[in-house]
Amino acid sequence: MNGTIQAPTIEYALLAPMLVVFGAAIAGVLVEAFAPRYLRSAIHLPLTLLSLAGAFALTVWQAVKGVPTKPAAMGAVAVDGPALFIWGAILVLAFVSVMLINDEDHFVAAAAAVPGSAEEEQALYEGAAHTEIYPLVLFAVGGMLLFPASNDLLVAFVALEVMSLPLYLLCGLARRRRLLSQEAAVKYFLLGAFSSAFFLYGTALLYGYAGSIDLAQINKALGAVGGQDTLLYIGAAMLGVGLLFKIGAAPFQAWKPDVYQGSPTPITALMASGTLVAAFGALLRVFWVGLGGLDWNWRPVLYAVAILTMVVGAVLAITQTDIKRMLAYSSIAHGGFLLVGVIATGTSAAQNTSALSGILFYLVAYGVTTVGAFAVVTMVRDAGGEAWHLSRWAGLGKRSPLLAGVFAFFLLAFAGIPLTSGFFGKYAVFQAAVTGGALPLVIVGVVASAVAAFFYVRVIVLMFFSDPAADGPTVVLPSRGTAAVVAFAALATVVLGVYPQPMLDLAHSAAHSLFVR
Amino acid sequence: MPWLSTLMGVSVLGALGVTLVRNDKLAKQFTLVVSLIVLALTVAMAVQFSPNGDKFQFAETYDWIPAFGVHYGVAVDGIALVLILLSVILVPIVVLASWHDAEKGKRSVRTYFSLLLVLEAMMIGVFAATDVFLFYVFFEAMLIPMYFMIGSYGGAQRSYAAVKFLLYSLFGGLLMLVAVIALYSIAGKGTFMFSDLVGTVQDVTTQKWLFLGFFIAFAIKAPLWPFHTWLPDAAAQAPAGAAVLLVGVLDKVGTYGMLRFCLELFPDAAKFFTPLVITLSVIGIVYGAIVAIGQTDMKRLIAYTSVSHFGFIAMGVFAMTTDAGAGATLYMVNHGFSTGALFLIAGFLIHRRGSQFISDYGGVQKVAPILAGTFLVAGLSSLSLPGLSTFVSEFMVLTGTYQRYVVPSVIAATGVILAAIYILWMYQRTMNGPTAESVKSLPDLNAREKWVVAPLIALLLVFGFYPKPLLDVIHPAVKDTLSSVSVTDPGAAVPVAKEGQ
């Protein structure tokens, strides 16, 4: 100790996209505090969208300038190829989700009021609105950005919480079906808190094993430290539980249908796309960078988890009658398909690149289509809000062929029919898995796809081949934002399905550098 | 000139164009014109095809997705050419035949015809693809227009039939996808071009697994016994026009795939599985025919006859003699015309009376002689009467198979006798006898319907007497295919037995 403290170096330029988002979030809080109520919404929207667009521009600039090969911020945050790609994806998905959120009809007027009480009536009458959703979303997005980029476990935990806490709140803000929404928020919060605790406990145990929370250091310690294997295994398993929970992999999938169903649909869209992307980024980084040397131990477990996830997602979806629950189970199944890609990682760099780029492509393809699908869900409404029950969708193809056609197209993309983006996503991970020697897993994957196709097709049957109910739901005229989201998602699903090469190149070049250590 | 791309491009643009036409009648006429243009272009292409030239002609190859080694590669050999011709000839006929089909359910007429043209583009693409991945893409994607055609415009059980059709085919397709991926990674060539993949898989065990992946998909598609159960439902519920394309063309993709991919890519496995496939085919021939006899629903009956006929085709493909192979290919074409004619005329009849059941008819011949007469001709071609085109192909398949597999060919020949029963008995019950009360006022074929039936009957007769032009095109291609399987015909010493009828 010579009395001077070395100041940590922070590469502000590298972290700029996150800083912009967090900065805008804090500015949003200030708006909430100081701006008059009638102005808030008008300030929030441009602020949120501009910050996301700005962060995206900075990410692109970062990627063009050259991908750094060393972790930033004293090894705490790794801004590498995959991280930049994931950031770009999250920012785009968040941007389109915010355009859905913009329609305030989805959100409750006074969240604290007891459902059905006089206070709620009053708030509705006054036209109150929770404009806090914008800064909350920005905080969540900031967390999503940090989570896959965090290079040590403590930062990852902080990111996990920053991402999750606002989402817990947002889940409870649905305007209709209040009780369901509150239930979703409580469930998500309790289970999420559990999983965070698992993650934290795992971090502690791994620290006990390796003497460091830095992922690279942990990986170095594998094999070097002897006699502490119990700590290592339990720690790694707990970390895995925390991460798999966020993905919604079986057997930690139970929260997903409830939360997706109860949340305001635009928030569901954000969770189904952004959170999934972020969680997969983090999962890959932790298991790859931190526990890569342990893959003989975690690979069989993930193998089983992937199979279970695909099967549970595909089979349970068949019995669903709520469109959002069905999409939730579909999201679980897709999580399983993505896990196939995670298992496809191997020992050679080329194999890793192809697996990683496959996952990245899949995440983008699936994320965009999902947002589009939920955007359509917001538009099909009856007297009680969104027409959530599947039977209400009967004959939609006759009353509004265009919307039903677009939705059918999204469903076909989920089912992985060629000439849609979903096909190439699935193909990319399956091909990587076959090359990586996981052929049995791929066979389970295609069987699960066939089962999944059944319930997607069932919705198409309802929409197109059934006769409309007499008092069926009407399709509301979409707000400009919603229409733009649907159009964007449909376009992306077509383009990525017909000409995926540019996006594949991008994913490949992002994955090529692999994760920095 | 990029012929094949032009054909597909015209169809796709036509499909888009149809959706823009506001008037239903104009939309139909527009569709007809587009399909005739495609037909004219295809004929113009076909006359330039030189049977003894390169194996694949009119080839176009561009990189599509270099990251996966996928090309946009199209070209035709003799086999693909005749199947494309079959498709593009059937489409205008189907358009004309379905003139009023889409109107019943108050569903969008334009959508129906637009789907039809999309399907046409995909049918051309699937036969022309020289890239295995591209073939797979078309193979799966073409399910979607057909799914909507059955589901939106079909009969009472349409959604059940449409879903069954889609799920069966999709499941087979997904198994094939695994095999496609495995083929790619085992070959290790970094490309999906068919010509580069031939001969890359040497290990016989691997070949067998990959063969099964492809074969099951094709057997479901074709359909071969015991994978056939979706076909009667789908064909019976589909509108007549869609049923023609489903049975006449889409199912041919299965037998075409066996000939092109199963044999050439996995020759050793193909030889290993030949006894199994021949057995399944023979069972299918007899089973399909017997079940057809017992049908009470005309469309289901025709669908089951197709199960029987597909048995013949698959048997011809796997007999691996030039005669049988050429016969099977010719059979694919002829079956398209003869079954197409049967479905369409039965469709006209059903449209008039509003019932698919044989028992609701009787003595139609007296009130509608032309309808009955053409029905008889189509039926006779289905039972392979000499002088009609299917006879040539069935005879070739049987003699070709006999050269190698005596017993199966003899059993299969009984299918010919059974065919006489199911066709003639159906004809007798519907057309002969006392005229049923309900059909007394049945109108005969109108001008449009005559235009639908005439070309089909003409083709059946022409190729019945003079199949040489088709065979000239098919023969070299089949020879080439078999030589890549390194099979030579067994000694011609075996006398060609007369058929058992």
Side-chain angles (χ1 to χ4, degrees):
Chain A
M1 261 304 179
N2 53 9
T4 53
I5 297 173
Q6 202 97 61
T9 54
I10 307 275
E11 290 84 345
Y12 289 102
L14 285 179
L15 306 181
M18 274 192 291
L19 297 179
V20 167
V21 172
F22 280 126
I26 290 167
V29 173
L30 294 178
V31 170
E32 276 302 311
F34 296 113
R37 173 169 286 193
Y38 63 92
L39 268 181
R40 285 180 200 164
S41 193
I43 301 174
H44 274 310
L45 185 66
L47 179 68
T48 310
L49 289 178
L50 279 178
S51 67
L52 290 172
F56 182 73
L58 284 168
T59 307
V60 172
W61 175 68
Q62 202 80 248
V64 171
K65 203 179 58 160
V67 177
T69 49
K70 280 171 66 169
M74 309 294 285
V77 178
V79 185
D80 47 15
L84 284 172
F85 186 92
I86 289 172
W87 282 6
I90 291 173
L91 288 166
V92 170
L93 293 170
F95 189 90
V96 289
S97 299
V98 168
M99 284 166 73
L100 288 181
I101 289 167
N102 174 34
D103 190 353
E104 270 157 17
D105 195 31
H106 298 297
F107 294 94
V108 67
V114 177
S117 67
E119 288 94 329
E120 196 178 43
E121 288 275 307
Q122 178 71 17
L124 265 175
Y125 180 70
E126 286 171 1
H130 282 289
T131 43
E132 301 94 311
I133 45 177
Y134 293 100
L136 284 174
V137 165
L138 279 179
F139 275 119
V141 171
M144 287 176 201
L145 296 181
L146 183 56
F147 195 34
S150 45
N151 201 34
D152 80 40
L153 291 174
L154 216 51
V155 174
F157 177 73
V158 171
L160 179 67
E161 291 302 291
V162 172
M163 170 176 88
S164 304
L165 286 171
L167 288 177
Y168 299 149
L169 274 176
L170 289 165
C171 284
L173 296 182
R175 171 173 288 234
R176 301 195 173 73
R177 297 206 280 171
R178 286 292 302 143
L179 287 175
L180 217 55
S181 177
Q182 293 183 348
E183 183 190 326
V186 172
K187 264 188 187 155
Y188 194 23
F189 171 67
L190 287 178
L191 291 174
F194 256 118
S195 82
S196 299
F198 269 103
F199 190 90
L200 198 56
Y201 205 171
T203 305
L205 290 177
L206 282 183
Y207 180 75
Y209 168 81
S212 171
I213 46 166
D214 187 85
L215 291 177
Q217 298 294 331
I218 293 173
N219 201 36
K220 250 185 224 146
L222 298 173
V225 177
Q228 303 281 353
D229 283 355
T230 324
L231 282 183
L232 172 65
Y233 293 151
I234 298 180
M238 289 190 152
L239 223 49
V241 170
L243 289 164
L244 290 174
F245 174 86
K246 280 292 156 198
I247 287 165
F252 314 109
Q253 89 292 0
W255 62 275
K256 238 184 186 179
D258 291 338
V259 173
Y260 278 26
Q261 179 190 21
S263 307
T265 309
I267 299 300
T268 313
L270 180 67
M271 285 194 291
S273 55
T275 311
L276 190 78
V277 177
F280 258 99
L283 177 88
L284 281 165
R285 188 178 296 280
V286 166
F287 277 94
W288 198 324
V289 178
L291 302 169
L294 199 67
D295 71 335
W296 275 97
N297 298 75
W298 57 257
R299 201 173 292 273
V301 178
L302 273 194
Y303 210 99
V305 169
I307 290 179
L308 196 63
T309 309
M310 289 188 284
V311 171
V312 165
V315 171
L316 291 188
I318 293 175
T319 59
Q320 301 307 315
T321 51
D322 182 317
I323 184 86
K324 282 162 82 179
R325 284 184 83 87
M326 195 207 84
L327 288 175
Y329 277 106
S330 131
S331 149
I332 293 170
H334 282 278
F337 297 141
L338 281 156
L339 281 173
V340 172
V342 176
I343 288 155
T345 59
T347 40
S348 81
Q351 171 65 19
N352 282 338
T353 305
S354 92
L356 185 53
S357 68
I359 295 172
L360 293 178
F361 181 85
Y362 198 133
L363 285 170
V364 170
Y366 174 72
V368 174
T369 310
T370 303
V371 175
F374 280 112
V376 174
V377 171
T378 66
M379 285 161 62
V380 182
R381 298 186 195 171
D382 54 19
E386 285 162 13
W388 52 273
H389 199 277
L390 268 178
S391 65
R392 308 282 296 156
W393 286 60
L396 192 71
K398 260 163 247 168
R399 262 177 288 117
S400 25
L402 186 64
L403 190 77
V406 170
F407 193 64
F409 181 63
F410 290 147
L411 291 173
L412 291 177
F414 286 145
I417 302 290
L419 302 180
T420 64
S421 61
F423 170 68
F424 284 113
K426 222 175 248 181
Y427 176 79
V429 294
F430 283 175
Q431 195 215 36
V434 168
T435 320
L439 187 64
L441 199 57
V442 173
I443 291 175
V444 175
V446 297
V447 173
S449 304
V451 175
F454 173 72
F455 62 80
Y456 296 127
V457 163
R458 207 178 49 149
V459 179
I460 298 180
V461 168
L462 264 179
M463 289 193 302
F464 284 94
F465 308 159
S466 311
D467 290 317
D471 56 341
T474 48
V475 170
V476 295
L477 216 56
S479 69
R480 230 176 273 154
T482 310
V485 171
V486 173
F488 168 76
L491 189 71
T493 308
V494 175
V495 170
L496 293 181
V498 174
Y499 191 60
Q501 186 61 30
M503 184 56 81
L504 283 168
D505 281 342
L506 198 62
H508 190 265
S509 68
H512 188 64
S513 56
L514 299 179
F515 290 109
V516 297
R517 290 188 190 275
Chain B
M1 178 171 173
W3 282 102
L4 292 159
S5 300
T6 311
L7 294 179
M8 285 189 263
V10 170
S11 310
V12 169
L13 288 180
L16 291 177
V18 172
T19 57
L20 298 179
V21 180
R22 286 280 147 225
N23 179 323
D24 280 351
K25 185 145 185 254
L26 272 177
K28 290 178 201 171
Q29 289 163 347
F30 182 78
T31 312
L32 187 62
V33 170
V34 171
S35 62
L36 286 173
I37 292 174
V38 175
L39 174 60
L41 284 169
T42 313
V43 170
M45 177 184 86
V47 293
Q48 293 176 37
F49 183 86
S50 54
N52 297 311
D54 294 341
K55 182 175 181 194
F56 286 109
Q57 300 179 23
F58 312 116
E60 298 166 50
T61 308
Y62 308 100
D63 278 345
W64 178 21
I65 311 168
F68 296 149
V70 175
H71 303 79
Y72 171 79
V74 286
V76 289
D77 65 351
I79 303 170
L81 180 70
V82 292
L83 289 170
I84 290 175
L85 270 173
L86 165 74
S87 319
V88 299
I89 291 173
L90 282 180
V91 169
I93 292 175
V94 164
V95 170
L96 206 54
S98 329
W99 211 251
H100 300 297
D101 272 6
E103 285 164 5
K104 280 179 294 186
K106 298 193 194 97
R107 286 179 175 78
S108 165
V109 175
R110 282 171 287 136
T111 311
Y112 183 83
F113 286 95
S114 175
L115 288 172
L116 205 62
L117 287 177
V118 171
L119 191 63
E120 176 168 34
M122 287 175 170
M123 291 188 301
I124 296 169
V126 79
F127 290 124
T130 52
D131 182 290
V132 180
F133 193 94
L134 185 68
F135 173 81
Y136 175 78
V137 166
F138 281 125
F139 183 83
E140 289 280 75
M142 69 197 301
L143 301 175
I144 302 302
M146 183 47 80
Y147 167 71
F148 279 102
M149 282 165 82
I150 298 175
S152 289
Y153 304 93
Q157 299 283 315
R158 58 181 190 273
S159 65
Y160 168 76
V163 170
K164 194 171 176 185
F165 157 75
L166 186 71
L167 290 183
Y168 267 67
S169 309
L170 210 57
F171 182 72
L174 285 166
L175 287 182
M176 183 172 138
L177 177 63
V178 179
V180 167
I181 297 172
L183 174 67
Y184 175 82
S185 67
I186 289 166
K189 290 272 184 91
T191 172
F192 273 106
M193 283 306 282
F194 176 70
S195 47
D196 293 331
L197 289 173
V198 170
T200 46
V201 187
Q202 294 295 343
D203 179 52
V204 179
T205 319
T206 319
Q207 271 198 24
K208 283 178 192 164
W209 284 109
L210 296 181
F211 176 91
L212 281 180
F214 278 81
F215 180 76
I216 292 176
F218 295 144
I220 291 175
K221 192 90 174 172
L224 227 54
W225 186 88
F227 304 103
H228 66 278
T229 57
W230 63 270
L231 181 70
D233 289 317
Q237 296 303 323
V244 172
L245 292 182
L246 175 68
V247 179
V249 181
L250 259 64
D251 290 354
K252 301 297 171 7
V253 178
T255 44
Y256 167 78
M258 290 177 198
L259 185 58
R260 162 82 15 102
F261 297 103
C262 287
L263 291 194
E264 287 200 50
L265 289 173
F266 320 112
D268 297 324
K271 280 175 210 156
F272 176 82
F273 282 110
T274 296
L276 177 71
V277 180
I278 299 260
T279 312
L280 291 184
S281 311
V282 171
I283 294 176
I285 291 170
V286 178
Y287 172 87
I290 291 176
V291 176
I293 293 173
Q295 293 306 305
T296 53
D297 173 326
M298 270 188 277
K299 279 166 118 182
R300 285 185 80 88
L301 190 150
I302 301 170
Y304 273 110
T305 69
S306 294
V307 173
S308 177
H309 291 160
F310 279 113
F312 275 109
I313 299 175
M315 187 174 79
V317 169
F318 276 85
M320 295 195 203
T321 60
T322 324
D323 274 353
T329 311
L330 189 62
Y331 208 144
M332 292 187 217
V333 177
N334 291 333
H335 174 263
F337 294 136
S338 82
T339 307
L342 266 182
F343 262 122
L344 290 178
I345 300 170
F348 295 151
L349 192 61
I350 291 165
H351 188 76
R352 284 169 163 66
R353 168 72 175 79
S355 164
Q356 312 204 2
F357 292 104
I358 294 172
S359 54
D360 288 338
Y361 296 89
V364 175
Q365 188 209 354
K366 290 185 198 93
V367 288
I370 302 178
L371 193 155
T374 50
F375 194 58
L376 183 62
V377 176
L380 291 178
S381 89
S382 181
L383 62 81
S384 304
L385 188 79
L388 292 168
S389 63
T390 39
F391 168 74
V392 184
S393 38
E394 199 157 305
F395 188 75
M396 284 175 74
V397 168
L398 284 172
T399 51
T401 311
Y402 187 86
Q403 292 167 28
R404 209 183 286 276
Y405 306 99
V406 177
V407 178
S409 72
V410 170
I411 301 174
T414 62
V416 182
I417 301 161
L418 294 171
I421 301 179
Y422 59 68
I423 289 293
L424 293 178
W425 197 34
M426 171 170 73
Y427 182 80
Q428 188 190 342
R429 283 181 291 172
T430 51
M431 303 299 177
N432 291 347
T435 306
E437 202 55 45
S438 52
V439 299
K440 279 257 163 65
S441 57
L442 218 60
D444 208 344
L445 294 186
N446 60 28
R448 172 180 66 85
E449 290 163 339
K450 282 178 197 157
W451 273 108
V452 170
V453 178
L456 287 172
I457 302 280
L459 285 165
L460 289 175
L461 285 168
V462 168
F463 291 133
F465 283 102
Y466 192 62
K468 190 166 176 301
L470 283 181
L471 283 172
D472 281 348
V473 174
I474 293 170
H475 245 297
V478 169
K479 266 215 179 92
D480 194 274
T481 303
L482 290 180
S483 75
S484 70
V485 195
S486 57
V487 179
T488 47
D489 287 349
V494 185
V496 177
K498 281 270 176 270
E499 214 149 321
Q501 45 176 348

